Amino acid sequence: MLPFTLDRKGPLNLLFLGAHCDDIEIGCGGTVLRMANELDIKHVQWIVFTSTAERRAEADRCAEIFLQNVKSKSIIIKDFKDSVLPQQRVEVKNYFEALKATYQPDVIFTHYRHDLHQDHRLINELTWNTFRDHLILEYEIQKYDGDIGNPCFFVPVGEDTAGQKVRAILKCFVSQSTKHWFDRETFLALMRIRGVESATRYAEAFYLRKAILS
């Protein structure tokens, strides 16, 4: 495997985008923990677009756990309606434009382009529509639809970090605990598969469509 580094002159501004309250943690929580421990981070914007009162409290709590080693951060939980986000496209697009006017991230984490969940796809589309010259990494979320593919960018996650990610998700998002897929084995399974594909134990994988070698 060829290594790729985010080392650069000066600290990084990072942007994490999730349609739902547990998306960021499930899709790239291990990477968040690694970056928070290993990179020089200037600021993190962590934005979730749909929520309820119950889920907002869970999301706030979990984001704080994942970002506990990041000094400067903004955790924003919006209240767009879940499952019909495309019907709110104009309002969501306006929010993206306002975000772009006030924040210029070095790396953006967003949903996978071919995710079959309509809310996830909209966030991906508006990410690319709004941020035209940024490094964008698309994370994956396993689900009933069976839409995960063949990612090309891997972030190895140590066994301790993988365990920390899974424990935090299960502890925080109690409202999801009755769902048949919401358990330790599910979250470890995909990381293990991506670990096999990257010759490591556990890993998270991303879709990197465009990058410039400098």
Side-chain angles (χ1 to χ4, degrees), residues 89-137:
R89 186 184 186 99
V90 173
E91 293 84 355
V92 179
K93 172 59 176 173
N94 288 339
Y95 183 81
F96 266 86
E97 290 297 328
L99 174 63
K100 181 182 178 181
T102 58
Y103 190 59
Q104 285 298 314
D106 298 295
V107 188
I108 301 172
F109 292 82
T110 193
H111 288 280
Y112 172 39
R113 182 183 196 176
H114 298 298
D115 194 307
L116 291 179
H117 195 298
Q118 65 277 4
D119 293 351
H120 296 180
R121 286 199 310 276
L122 179 69
I123 297 304
N124 175 278
E125 291 169 9
L126 293 181
T127 302
W128 282 94
N129 180 258
T130 306
F131 296 97
R132 306 294 291 178
D133 56 355
H134 296 72
L135 178 62
I136 299 175
L137 294 174

Coordinates of all heavy atoms in Angstrom, one line a residue, residues 89-137:
R89 N -34.3 20.6 0.0 CA -33.0 20.9 -0.7 C -32.6 22.4 -0.7 O -31.5 22.7 -0.5 CB -33.1 20.3 -2.1 CG -31.8 20.4 -2.9 CD -31.9 20.0 -4.3 NE -30.6 20.0 -4.9 CZ -29.8 18.9 -5.1 NH1 -30.3 17.7 -4.7 NH2 -28.7 18.9 -5.7
V90 N -33.6 23.2 -1.0 CA -33.3 24.6 -1.1 C -32.7 25.2 0.3 O -31.7 25.9 0.3 CB -34.5 25.5 -1.5 CG1 -34.2 27.0 -1.4 CG2 -34.9 25.1 -2.9
E91 N -33.4 24.8 1.3 CA -33.0 25.3 2.7 C -31.6 24.7 3.0 O -30.8 25.4 3.6 CB -34.0 24.9 3.7 CG -35.4 25.6 3.6 CD -36.3 24.9 2.6 OE1 -35.9 23.9 1.9 OE2 -37.5 25.3 2.5
V92 N -31.4 23.4 2.7 CA -30.1 22.8 3.1 C -29.0 23.4 2.2 O -27.9 23.7 2.7 CB -30.2 21.3 2.8 CG1 -28.8 20.7 3.1 CG2 -31.2 20.7 3.7
K93 N -29.3 23.7 0.9 CA -28.3 24.3 0.0 C -27.9 25.7 0.6 O -26.8 26.1 0.6 CB -28.8 24.4 -1.4 CG -28.0 25.2 -2.3 CD -26.5 24.7 -2.5 CE -25.8 25.4 -3.5 NZ -24.3 25.0 -3.5
N94 N -28.9 26.5 1.0 CA -28.6 27.8 1.6 C -27.7 27.7 2.8 O -26.9 28.6 3.0 CB -30.0 28.5 1.9 CG -30.8 28.9 0.7 OD1 -30.2 29.1 -0.4 ND2 -32.1 29.1 0.9
Y95 N -27.9 26.7 3.6 CA -27.1 26.5 4.7 C -25.6 26.2 4.3 O -24.7 26.7 4.9 CB -27.6 25.3 5.6 CG -26.8 25.2 6.9 CD1 -27.0 26.0 8.0 CD2 -25.7 24.2 6.9 CE1 -26.2 25.9 9.1 CE2 -24.9 24.1 8.1 CZ -25.2 24.9 9.1 OH -24.4 24.8 10.3
F96 N -25.5 25.3 3.3 CA -24.1 25.0 2.7 C -23.5 26.3 2.3 O -22.3 26.5 2.5 CB -24.2 24.0 1.6 CG -24.1 22.6 2.0 CD1 -25.2 21.9 2.5 CD2 -22.8 22.0 1.9 CE1 -25.0 20.5 2.8 CE2 -22.7 20.7 2.3 CZ -23.8 19.9 2.7
E97 N -24.2 27.2 1.6 CA -23.6 28.4 1.0 C -23.2 29.3 2.2 O -22.1 30.0 2.1 CB -24.6 29.1 0.1 CG -24.8 28.4 -1.2 CD -23.5 28.2 -2.1 OE1 -22.7 29.2 -2.0 OE2 -23.4 27.2 -2.8
A98 N -24.0 29.4 3.2 CA -23.6 30.2 4.4 C -22.4 29.6 5.0 O -21.5 30.4 5.5 CB -24.8 30.3 5.3
L99 N -22.3 28.3 5.1 CA -21.1 27.7 5.7 C -19.8 28.0 4.9 O -18.8 28.3 5.5 CB -21.3 26.2 5.8 CG -20.2 25.3 6.2 CD1 -19.8 25.6 7.7 CD2 -20.5 23.8 6.1
K100 N -19.9 27.9 3.6 CA -18.8 28.1 2.7 C -18.3 29.6 2.9 O -17.1 29.8 2.8 CB -19.2 27.9 1.3 CG -18.1 28.1 0.3 CD -18.5 27.9 -1.1 CE -17.4 28.2 -2.1 NZ -17.9 27.9 -3.5
A101 N -19.2 30.5 3.1 CA -18.8 31.9 3.3 C -18.1 32.2 4.5 O -17.4 33.2 4.6 CB -20.1 32.8 3.2
T102 N -18.2 31.3 5.5 CA -17.6 31.6 6.8 C -16.5 30.6 7.2 O -15.8 30.8 8.2 CB -18.6 31.5 7.9 OG1 -19.3 30.3 7.9 CG2 -19.7 32.6 7.7
Y103 N -16.3 29.5 6.5 CA -15.4 28.4 6.9 C -14.7 27.8 5.6 O -15.5 27.4 4.7 CB -16.1 27.4 7.7 CG -15.2 26.4 8.4 CD1 -14.2 26.8 9.3 CD2 -15.3 25.0 8.2 CE1 -13.4 25.9 9.9 CE2 -14.5 24.1 8.8 CZ -13.5 24.5 9.7 OH -12.7 23.6 10.3
Q104 N -13.4 27.7 5.6 CA -12.7 27.1 4.5 C -11.9 25.9 5.1 O -10.8 26.0 5.6 CB -11.8 28.1 3.8 CG -12.5 29.1 3.0 CD -13.3 28.4 1.8 OE1 -12.7 27.5 1.1 NE2 -14.5 28.7 1.6
P105 N -12.5 24.7 5.0 CA -11.8 23.5 5.5 C -10.7 23.0 4.6 O -10.7 23.2 3.4 CB -12.9 22.5 5.6 CG -13.9 22.9 4.5 CD -13.8 24.4 4.5
D106 N -9.7 22.4 5.2 CA -8.6 21.7 4.4 C -9.1 20.3 4.0 O -8.7 19.9 2.9 CB -7.4 21.6 5.3 CG -6.8 23.0 5.6 OD1 -6.4 23.7 4.7 OD2 -6.8 23.3 6.8
V107 N -9.9 19.6 4.8 CA -10.4 18.3 4.5 C -11.8 18.2 4.9 O -12.2 18.7 6.0 CB -9.6 17.2 5.2 CG1 -10.0 15.8 4.7 CG2 -8.1 17.4 5.0
I108 N -12.6 17.6 4.0 CA -14.1 17.5 4.3 C -14.4 16.0 4.3 O -14.0 15.2 3.4 CB -14.9 18.2 3.2 CG1 -14.6 19.7 3.2 CG2 -16.4 18.0 3.5 CD1 -15.2 20.4 2.0
F109 N -15.1 15.6 5.3 CA -15.7 14.2 5.4 C -17.2 14.3 5.1 O -17.9 15.0 5.9 CB -15.3 13.6 6.7 CG -13.9 13.3 6.9 CD1 -13.0 14.4 7.4 CD2 -13.3 12.1 6.7 CE1 -11.7 14.1 7.6 CE2 -12.0 11.8 6.9 CZ -11.1 12.9 7.3
T110 N -17.6 13.5 4.2 CA -19.1 13.5 3.8 C -19.5 12.1 3.4 O -18.7 11.2 3.4 CB -19.3 14.5 2.7 OG1 -20.8 14.8 2.6 CG2 -18.8 14.1 1.4
H111 N -20.8 12.0 3.1 CA -21.3 10.7 2.7 C -20.8 10.2 1.4 O -20.4 11.0 0.5 CB -22.9 10.8 2.7 CG -23.5 10.8 4.1 ND1 -23.6 9.7 4.9 CD2 -23.9 11.9 4.8 CE1 -24.2 10.1 6.0 NE2 -24.4 11.4 6.0
Y112 N -20.9 8.9 1.1 CA -20.5 8.3 -0.1 C -21.5 8.6 -1.2 O -22.7 8.6 -1.1 CB -20.5 6.8 0.1 CG -20.3 5.9 -1.1 CD1 -19.4 6.2 -2.1 CD2 -21.0 4.7 -1.1 CE1 -19.3 5.3 -3.2 CE2 -20.8 3.8 -2.2 CZ -20.0 4.1 -3.2 OH -19.8 3.3 -4.3
R113 N -21.0 8.9 -2.4 CA -21.8 9.3 -3.6 C -22.9 8.4 -3.9 O -24.0 8.8 -4.3 CB -20.8 9.5 -4.7 CG -21.5 10.0 -6.0 CD -20.4 10.0 -7.1 NE -20.9 10.8 -8.3 CZ -20.1 11.0 -9.3 NH1 -18.9 10.6 -9.4 NH2 -20.6 11.7 -10.3
H114 N -22.6 7.1 -3.8 CA -23.6 6.1 -4.3 C -24.4 5.4 -3.1 O -24.9 4.3 -3.3 CB -22.9 5.0 -5.1 CG -22.3 5.5 -6.4 ND1 -23.1 6.1 -7.4 CD2 -21.0 5.6 -6.8 CE1 -22.3 6.5 -8.3 NE2 -21.0 6.2 -8.0
D115 N -24.4 6.1 -2.0 CA -25.2 5.7 -0.8 C -26.7 5.6 -1.2 O -27.1 6.6 -1.8 CB -24.9 6.6 0.4 CG -25.4 6.0 1.7 OD1 -26.6 5.6 1.7 OD2 -24.6 6.0 2.6
L116 N -27.4 4.6 -0.9 CA -28.8 4.5 -1.3 C -29.7 5.2 -0.4 O -30.9 5.2 -0.8 CB -29.1 3.0 -1.4 CG -28.4 2.2 -2.6 CD1 -28.9 0.7 -2.6 CD2 -28.7 2.8 -3.9
H117 N -29.3 5.7 0.7 CA -30.2 6.5 1.5 C -30.3 7.9 0.9 O -29.3 8.6 0.7 CB -29.7 6.6 3.0 CG -30.7 7.1 3.9 ND1 -31.2 8.3 3.9 CD2 -31.3 6.5 5.0 CE1 -32.1 8.5 4.8 NE2 -32.2 7.4 5.5
Q118 N -31.5 8.4 0.7 CA -31.7 9.7 0.0 C -31.1 10.8 0.8 O -30.6 11.8 0.2 CB -33.2 9.9 -0.3 CG -34.1 10.0 1.0 CD -34.5 8.7 1.6 OE1 -34.0 7.7 1.1 NE2 -35.3 8.8 2.6
D119 N -31.2 10.8 2.1 CA -30.6 11.9 2.9 C -29.1 12.0 2.7 O -28.5 13.0 2.6 CB -31.0 11.8 4.4 CG -32.4 11.9 4.6 OD1 -33.2 12.3 3.7 OD2 -32.9 11.6 5.8
H120 N -28.5 10.8 2.8 CA -27.0 10.7 2.6 C -26.6 11.2 1.3 O -25.6 12.0 1.1 CB -26.5 9.3 2.7 CG -26.8 8.7 4.1 ND1 -26.4 7.4 4.4 CD2 -27.4 9.2 5.2 CE1 -26.8 7.1 5.7 NE2 -27.3 8.2 6.2
R121 N -27.3 10.8 0.2 CA -26.9 11.3 -1.2 C -27.0 12.8 -1.3 O -26.2 13.4 -2.0 CB -27.8 10.6 -2.2 CG -27.5 9.1 -2.5 CD -28.0 8.7 -3.8 NE -29.4 9.0 -4.0 CZ -30.4 8.3 -3.5 NH1 -30.2 7.2 -2.8 NH2 -31.7 8.7 -3.7
L122 N -28.0 13.4 -0.7 CA -28.2 14.8 -0.8 C -27.0 15.6 -0.2 O -26.5 16.5 -0.8 CB -29.5 15.3 -0.2 CG -29.7 16.8 -0.2 CD1 -29.9 17.3 -1.7 CD2 -30.8 17.3 0.7
I123 N -26.6 15.1 1.0 CA -25.5 15.8 1.7 C -24.2 15.6 0.8 O -23.4 16.6 0.6 CB -25.2 15.2 3.1 CG1 -26.4 15.5 4.0 CG2 -24.0 15.8 3.7 CD1 -26.8 16.9 4.1
N124 N -24.0 14.5 0.2 CA -22.9 14.3 -0.7 C -22.9 15.3 -1.9 O -22.0 15.9 -2.3 CB -22.8 12.9 -1.2 CG -21.7 12.7 -2.3 OD1 -21.9 13.0 -3.4 ND2 -20.5 12.2 -1.8
E125 N -24.1 15.3 -2.5 CA -24.3 16.2 -3.7 C -24.0 17.6 -3.4 O -23.3 18.3 -4.2 CB -25.7 16.0 -4.3 CG -25.9 14.6 -4.9 CD -27.4 14.4 -5.2 OE1 -28.2 15.4 -5.1 OE2 -27.8 13.3 -5.6
L126 N -24.5 18.1 -2.3 CA -24.3 19.5 -1.9 C -22.9 19.8 -1.5 O -22.4 20.9 -1.6 CB -25.4 19.9 -0.9 CG -26.8 19.9 -1.4 CD1 -27.8 20.4 -0.3 CD2 -27.0 20.8 -2.6
T127 N -22.2 18.8 -0.9 CA -20.8 18.9 -0.5 C -20.0 19.3 -1.8 O -19.3 20.2 -1.8 CB -20.3 17.7 0.1 OG1 -21.0 17.4 1.3 CG2 -18.8 17.9 0.5
W128 N -20.2 18.4 -2.8 CA -19.4 18.6 -4.1 C -19.9 19.9 -4.8 O -19.1 20.5 -5.5 CB -19.5 17.4 -4.9 CG -18.7 16.3 -4.5 CD1 -19.0 15.2 -3.7 CD2 -17.3 16.1 -4.8 NE1 -17.9 14.4 -3.5 CE2 -16.8 15.0 -4.2 CE3 -16.4 16.8 -5.6 CZ2 -15.5 14.5 -4.3 CZ3 -15.1 16.4 -5.8 CH2 -14.7 15.2 -5.1
N129 N -21.2 20.2 -4.7 CA -21.7 21.3 -5.4 C -21.2 22.6 -4.8 O -21.0 23.6 -5.5 CB -23.2 21.3 -5.4 CG -23.9 22.5 -6.0 OD1 -24.4 23.4 -5.4 ND2 -24.0 22.4 -7.3
T130 N -21.0 22.6 -3.5 CA -20.6 23.8 -2.8 C -19.1 24.0 -2.7 O -18.5 25.1 -2.9 CB -21.2 23.8 -1.4 OG1 -22.6 23.6 -1.4 CG2 -20.9 25.1 -0.6
F131 N -18.4 22.9 -2.3 CA -16.9 23.0 -2.1 C -16.2 22.4 -3.4 O -16.1 21.2 -3.5 CB -16.5 22.3 -0.9 CG -17.1 22.9 0.4 CD1 -18.3 22.3 1.0 CD2 -16.5 23.9 1.0 CE1 -18.8 22.9 2.1 CE2 -17.0 24.5 2.2 CZ -18.2 24.0 2.7
R132 N -15.7 23.3 -4.2 CA -15.3 22.8 -5.6 C -13.8 22.6 -5.6 O -13.3 21.9 -6.6 CB -15.6 23.9 -6.6 CG -17.1 24.3 -6.6 CD -18.0 23.1 -7.1 NE -17.8 22.8 -8.5 CZ -18.4 21.9 -9.1 NH1 -19.2 21.1 -8.5 NH2 -18.2 21.7 -10.4
D133 N -13.0 23.0 -4.7 CA -11.6 22.8 -4.8 C -11.0 22.4 -3.4 O -10.0 22.9 -2.9 CB -10.9 24.1 -5.3 CG -11.2 25.3 -4.4 OD1 -12.0 25.2 -3.5 OD2 -10.6 26.4 -4.7
H134 N -11.7 21.4 -2.8 CA -11.3 20.9 -1.5 C -11.0 19.4 -1.6 O -11.5 18.7 -2.4 CB -12.4 21.2 -0.5 CG -12.6 22.7 -0.2 ND1 -13.3 23.5 -1.1 CD2 -12.3 23.5 0.8 CE1 -13.4 24.7 -0.7 NE2 -12.8 24.7 0.5
L135 N -10.2 18.9 -0.6 CA -10.0 17.5 -0.5 C -11.2 16.9 0.3 O -11.5 17.2 1.4 CB -8.7 17.2 0.3 CG -8.4 15.7 0.6 CD1 -8.2 15.0 -0.8 CD2 -7.2 15.6 1.4
I136 N -12.0 16.0 -0.5 CA -13.2 15.5 0.1 C -13.0 14.0 0.2 O -12.7 13.3 -0.8 CB -14.4 15.8 -0.8 CG1 -14.6 17.4 -0.9 CG2 -15.7 15.1 -0.3 CD1 -15.7 17.8 -1.8
L137 N -13.3 13.4 1.4 CA -13.3 12.0 1.6 C -14.7 11.5 1.9 O -15.3 12.1 2.8 CB -12.3 11.7 2.8 CG -10.8 11.9 2.5 CD1 -10.0 11.7 3.8 CD2 -10.3 11.1 1.4

